[in-house]
Amino acid sequence: EAQVTQNPRYLITVTGKKLTVTCSQNMNHEYMSWYRQDPGLGLRQIYYSMNVEVTDKGDVPEGYKVSRKEKRNFPLILESPSPNQTSLYFCASSPTGGSTNEKLFFGSGTQLSVL
Amino acid sequence: RKEVEQDPGPFNVPEGATVAFNCTYSNSASQSFFWYRQDCRKEPKLLMSVYSSGNEDGRFTAQLNRASQYISLLIRDSKLSDSATYLCVVNILGGGADGLTFGKGTHLIIQP
């Protein structure tokens, strides 16, 4: 089944403890992206990747890191989480990015709470 | 001015009614338009693409008005299961390397 898999679904952690949220897609998509969603603010892009070893900042990259060593995986890393990073996170992929970017396939989300 | 704007609602609509809402975009270079549906705390899913000629899928109709720079979504004979947040997504040529800009969504509540 074609899908984007995010793990974990729920995560509670404490300030300063490094964590990684994994994202994997099995559709051979070139484009992958991370979003956070907060009440009243909608979906905001954190980082995106147009292809392997190509990553770019989105609208709210501060406090986050990503890597794209393989086409299928795009982990989100929080080196030193803070309470303002408590949010619902979504990973997404699509066949291509840029002007041909169309249908996005989303993972099921990760609810992160930083205490 | 925000690039993609939606009325956040909520729109409270009785079951069986017809409801319509719009999404305005500010960049005339916008070239592709989509409606996504998002249930509470779930991932967004593509509802339909919006073509220049309009697009109809069952009870759902999407329209594009390039002159006034908005897209619309109309839902006929609304069902309880239509309750969700509807996100407008625009692909803007030159609007960042990945192209896509999201609206904040319109919250729709269908009441029995």
Side-chain angles (χ1 to χ4, degrees), chain A residues 31 37 45 98 101 104 111, chain B residues 31 36 38 41 91 97-98:
Chain A
Y31 175 86
Q37 189 172 38
Q45 190 178 51
N101 203 343
L104 282 174
Q111 178 62 58
Chain B
Q31 56 183 22
Y36 279 71
Q38 184 177 24
R41 313 300 288 173
N91 190 327
D98 78 331

Side-chain angles (χ1 to χ4, degrees), chain B residues 27-112:
Chain B
N27 192 324
S28 59
S30 302
Q31 56 183 22
S32 310
F33 309 88
F34 312 91
W35 284 105
Y36 279 71
R37 172 196 168 122
Q38 184 177 24
D39 294 300
C40 187
R41 313 300 288 173
K42 298 286 182 66
E43 73 272 24
K45 295 182 179 177
L46 181 67
L47 178 65
M48 57 199 312
S49 303
V50 188
Y51 306 122
S52 296
S53 57
N55 190 18
E56 186 172 323
D57 183 3
R59 298 182 293 108
F60 296 82
T61 299
Q63 298 278 0
L64 167 63
N65 186 317
R66 283 196 184 273
S68 300
Q69 296 187 195
Y70 73 87
I71 64 172
S72 63
L73 180 67
L74 182 141
I75 306 174
R76 289 180 297 277
D77 187 23
S78 53
K79 313 290 185 191
L80 295 176
S81 58
D82 293 332
S83 297
T85 296
Y86 292 85
L87 303 174
C88 170
V89 183
V90 175
N91 190 327
I92 298 173
L93 183 65
D98 78 331
L100 296 176
T101 300
F102 284 80
K104 293 182 180 179
T106 295
H107 188 198
L108 176 65
I109 301 171
I110 306 300
Q111 297 176 324

Side-chain angles (χ1 to χ4, degrees), chain A residues 16-29:
Chain A
K17 186 175 181 181
K18 180 179 178 179
L19 66 91
T20 299
V21 184
T22 62
C23 175
S24 179
Q25 49 92 6
N26 62 1
M27 297 168 280
N28 201 36
H29 285 171

